[in-house]
Structure formats: C-alpha cells, structure tokens
C-alpha cells in the first residue's frame, strides 16, 4: 500500500517534532510537507530545526536520516503552498501543532479546512466548537460522524477539523469509560493531577520555579480537566447535535511537578447505585479493548489500560513508555473512605496526550474513510 502524504503545521515546535518522530517509519502516513512560522520558511527542515531539537529519542540529525530534513519549510499562514502540495501529491491532510494565539489558530485551521485540506489538530482552539469532534479513539470513535454534519453546515467539501483533548485528562478518561461501558454509573470524581514540565512546551516553566518545588497552578488546566470529558462522553442526538454528558461531576486540582514526561492523576470516584468490587474493576480495565485494538491501528497500544499490582506504581520514569507510550497505566486501586474507589493513573503527555493521540485519531479517520 502506498503511504498517504501528510503535512505538519508548526513542524519545528516540540509537538511538531514529536509528529516527525512518530511518523518517521509509519506504515500508513509519510511526512511530505512541513510548515512553520515565517522566520523558518524558506529553510530546509534540518536548518529550521537546528539547535531546537528537544526529543531524547532522536538526535538532531534524525530529520535528515528520515528524509524530512531536506524538505523546504513553508509559511503555515500561506495556505496556497499547502494547496500546491496537495495538487502535486505531497499533502492529503495536515496535523496541526500550531503555536500562536488561540483565535489565530482557530481561523487558520478553518481556512485550511475550507480550502479542502482536512486538519487533525493538537491545538485547543476548536475543542469547544460544537460541530468539531474531540476524539479519544478508544472512547468516542463514533463522534467522527460529526464530520459529515460539520461539512454540510459550513459548506466544506473535502476539508474538516477534528481535535484531540487536553493531555491532563488522558490518565483517567479511558478507565472511566471502560467502567461506564460495563454499566457502572459514575456520579462524581475528584482528580489531583501531577503534570510533567514537558506539558508546558519549551522553554516552558523556569528551572527556578520547578527545582525543589511543586507549582499548584496551571492556567486553564482545571477547567479543561473538568469539562472536556463531558464532551467526549456526550451523545449525538437525532438532529446531529452533540449533547455533552451531565455526569460525572468532576473537581480537578492541577499541579506542575518536576518530572520530565508523564502526567499522573490521583483519582477518587463515586458510583451510582451499582458498585463494582475492586477485583471487578481490575478485570474490566485489564480486559478492555476498543476499535483501535480490534482493527490493529499501527499506533494503538495492544492494552489500552495496563493494571500494575505493585503498591508504589505507576511511576512516570518506570511506566510512561509502556506499550508504545500510548497506554494508560493504573495502580493503587483501592476503596475510598469518602467516595467509592480511588486509583492512580499515568499517561505519557507528549505522546499519548499530544502527537501520538493525533496520529491515532488520523488512523481512526482513515479506517472510517474520512481520509
């Protein structure tokens, strides 16, 4: 099978670099087009990324080794360049890792979609746009149906926008869904997140703020953690409108901690009338599989939820890279004296929570015939 040519907007930033890394040997997709800010335009990708490569798993020469380094960087604001690349078979759709003001991202992504170029976005600009699906492939793949509604509403032909959710919710949303799928109503949820510094990008949080310290504030993060799962758990009604779920009620405390990668959440939850045993919860999580696993998507983890039985796990340094860095690792599953159940969840924030989640969404969209 010939690979689908893809583009990356914001290709020189940290998330853009992660897309380059994850797509280097992808069996379905191949990076053939890269775009970034005007100051990077006109340079080769190797030149534009020189001195800015921040990934541990790739050296600064990696883009050249994987044939991306010689690609000329275009101005992401100039959509005509992407259209030209599409006509010449170099860009069927784009991953958006744009780093600019939210309204600028919103308008630019809409312009790409209106021009007929599908956008799979890592940005937050369209997460609360009502006709834009916010996807976790194992949880709400059916929300891709909103693409048809989105196109009809906006008069778009081939273009569309889908987004992935915030990295802070990855470590508990899929475990919640697995329980809900087995008929267990979740009424209320308290989540205390311990979020890695890589979630703030580069240069991110000052070392003076993080060394020997915890910062109990991340702007906008608690609101995202409390609200985004409700859109993901929502249903599309007969009029084609996505109705957000009313439950669970979520209270989040989000903290920045001196960990390089891997977001942890300490979660307590309250069930409805039907309450599972601890052993039943472990069984549900261990056995949980969804469409990405059944269809064998290349980026999908074999086990989307991995249960650790050790008393002191999960730990970011030891567990974040399990199963392609795409699994949710859960542990410390025990009764809660205030609610019903408590556990610790861990996910890799820059892979599962960022570029890896975007690639998995694109695999889902290809499987469903949208790209």
């Amino acid at each position: 099978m010939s690979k689908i040519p893809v583009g990356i907007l914001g290709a020189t930033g940290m998330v853009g670099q992660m897309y380059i890394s994850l797509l280097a040997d992808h069996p379905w997709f191949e990076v053939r087009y890269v775009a970034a800010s005007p100051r990077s335009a006109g340079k080769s990708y190797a030149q534009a990324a020189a001195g800015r490569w921040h990934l541990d798993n790739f050296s600064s020469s990696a883009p050249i080794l994987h044939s991306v380094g010689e690609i000329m960087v275009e101005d992401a604001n100039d959509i005509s360049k992407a259209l030209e690349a599409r006509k010449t078979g170099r860009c069927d759709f784009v991953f958006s890792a744009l780093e600019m003001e939210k309204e600028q991202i919103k308008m630019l992504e809409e312009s790409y979609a209106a021009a007929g170029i599908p956008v799979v976005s890592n940005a937050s600009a369209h997460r609360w746009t009502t006709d834009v699906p916010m996807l976790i492939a194992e949880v709400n793949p059916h929300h891709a149906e909103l693409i048809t509604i989105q196109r009809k509403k906006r008069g778009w032909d081939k273009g569309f926008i889908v987004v992935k959710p915030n990295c802070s919710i990855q470590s508990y949303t899929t475990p919640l869904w697995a329980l809900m799928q087995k008929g267990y109503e979740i009424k209320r949820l308290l989540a205390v997140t311990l979020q890695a510094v890589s979630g703030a990008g580069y240069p991110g949080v000052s070392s003076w703020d993080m060394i020997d310290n915890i910062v109990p504030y991340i702007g906008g993060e608690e609101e995202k953690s409390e609200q985004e799962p409700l859109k993901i758990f929502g249903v599309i009604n007969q009029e084609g409108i996505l109705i957000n779920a009313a439950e669970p009620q979520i209270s989040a405390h989000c903290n920045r901690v001196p960990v390089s990668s891997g977001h942890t959440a300490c979660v307590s939850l309250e069930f409805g009338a039907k309450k599972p045993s601890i052993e039943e919860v472990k069984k549900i999580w261990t056995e949980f599989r969804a469409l990405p696993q059944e269809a064998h998507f290349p980026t999908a983890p074999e086990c989307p939820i991995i249960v650790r039985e050790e008393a002191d796990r999960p730990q970011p340094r030891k567990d974040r890279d399990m199963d392609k860095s795409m699994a949710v690792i859960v542990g410390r599953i025990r009764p809660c004296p205030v609610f019903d159940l408590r556990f610790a969840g861990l996910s890799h924030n820059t892979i599962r929570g960022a570029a890896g989640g975007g690639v998995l969404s694109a695999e889902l969209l290809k499987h469903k015939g949208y790209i």
Side-chain angles (χ1 to χ4, degrees):
M1 181 185 70
S2 59
K3 294 185 180 183
I4 297 172
V6 305
I8 301 174
L9 309 181
T12 58
M14 280 195 71
V15 176
Q17 291 175 23
M18 185 61 76
Y19 273 117
I20 297 290
S21 169
L22 294 176
L23 293 168
D25 298 304
H26 196 280
W28 295 359
F29 307 134
E30 180 180 10
V31 178
R32 299 280 303 279
Y33 179 83
V34 291
S37 66
R39 66 178 178 272
S40 295
K43 301 176 182 178
S44 71
Y45 185 76
Q47 292 172 328
R52 302 179 60 189
W53 196 259
H54 304 298
L55 303 186
D56 293 336
N57 60 329
F58 270 59
S59 70
S60 59
S61 63
I64 297 176
L65 296 176
H66 290 277
S67 302
V68 177
E70 297 303 314
I71 298 176
M72 188 70 68
V73 179
E74 303 291 352
D75 183 352
N77 297 286
D78 189 350
I79 299 171
S80 67
K81 297 294 185 180
L83 288 172
E84 181 181 336
R86 179 162 189 156
K87 290 178 182 177
T88 56
R90 294 181 292 119
C91 182
D92 278 12
F93 71 94
V94 295
F95 292 103
S96 172
L98 293 167
E99 297 177 3
M100 55 180 67
E101 293 295 325
K102 184 175 290 188
E103 282 304 312
Q104 289 179 284
I105 294 175
K106 192 171 185 178
M107 290 187 291
L108 193 54
E109 289 180 346
E110 288 178 358
S111 297
Y112 273 87
I117 300 174
V119 178
V120 178
S121 180
N122 189 78
S124 64
H126 274 290
R127 286 184 190 154
W128 286 102
T129 304
T130 55
D131 59 355
V132 172
M134 181 163 54
L135 299 175
I136 295 180
E138 287 89 353
V139 176
N140 62 336
H142 53 289
H143 282 190
E145 298 168 13
L146 285 172
I147 291 172
T148 301
I149 298 163
Q150 181 188 125
R151 285 171 166 170
K152 182 177 180 180
K153 174 182 174 182
R154 297 168 181 262
W156 295 346
D157 180 17
K158 297 179 180 179
F160 60 80
I161 301 170
V162 302
V163 299
K164 54 153 292 297
N166 194 52
C167 54
S168 66
I169 74 169
Q170 304 285 334
S171 54
Y172 55 88
T173 303
T174 302
L176 296 183
W177 178 251
L179 295 172
M180 293 161 63
Q181 287 296 95
K182 291 296 184 179
Y184 292 105
E185 180 187 14
I186 300 174
K187 303 288 290 183
R188 293 190 297 169
L189 171 73
L190 173 65
V192 178
T193 67
L194 310 171
Q195 297 182 211
V197 292
S198 56
Y202 184 86
V205 186
S206 166
S207 60
W208 280 102
D209 290 323
M210 289 314 307
I211 295 174
D212 190 33
N213 200 26
I214 291 174
V215 180
Y217 172 74
I218 307 173
E221 206 76 359
E222 292 176 352
E223 293 81 1
K224 296 172 186 176
S225 299
E226 293 168 351
Q227 297 168 13
E228 288 186 12
L230 301 181
K231 181 174 181 179
I232 293 166
F233 295 152
V235 297
I236 301 173
N237 67 15
Q238 293 181 342
E239 287 73 40
I241 299 171
L242 179 61
I243 306 298
N244 297 337
E247 294 178 336
Q249 293 179 301
I250 302 174
S251 176
H253 302 262
C254 295
N255 306 271
R256 188 73 71 192
V257 297
V259 171
S260 60
S261 294
H263 286 355
T264 301
C266 300
V267 179
S268 291
L269 57 87
E270 179 184 53
F271 293 105
K274 184 182 177 184
K275 304 179 190 297
S277 67
I278 298 298
E279 290 307 312
E280 177 67 9
V281 169
K282 291 180 180 180
K283 184 174 185 291
I284 290 170
W285 284 346
T286 299
E287 295 179 353
F288 177 75
R289 301 291 186 276
L291 177 59
Q293 289 71 45
E294 295 163 358
H296 304 290
F297 295 170
T299 304
E302 292 184 16
C303 300
I305 305 173
I306 297 174
V307 175
R308 300 300 304 240
E309 295 286 358
E310 301 93 328
D312 61 351
R313 304 286 278 275
Q315 296 179 22
R317 195 170 64 188
K318 295 180 178 180
D319 298 315
R320 63 192 171 207
D321 292 319
M322 294 186 71
D323 211 335
K324 308 176 190 175
S325 304
M326 289 291 287
V328 177
I329 320 300
V330 294
R332 302 216 67 217
I333 306 164
R334 62 209 192 279
C336 177
V338 177
F339 289 167
D340 294 311
L341 177 78
R342 50 186 167 169
F343 68 93
L346 168 71
S347 62
H348 198 303
N349 57 296
T350 64
I351 300 181
R352 179 76 214 207
V359 174
L360 187 59
S361 292
E363 292 169 358
L364 168 68
L365 296 171
K366 177 185 178 299
H367 176 79
K368 287 182 170 288
Y370 291 105
I371 56 177

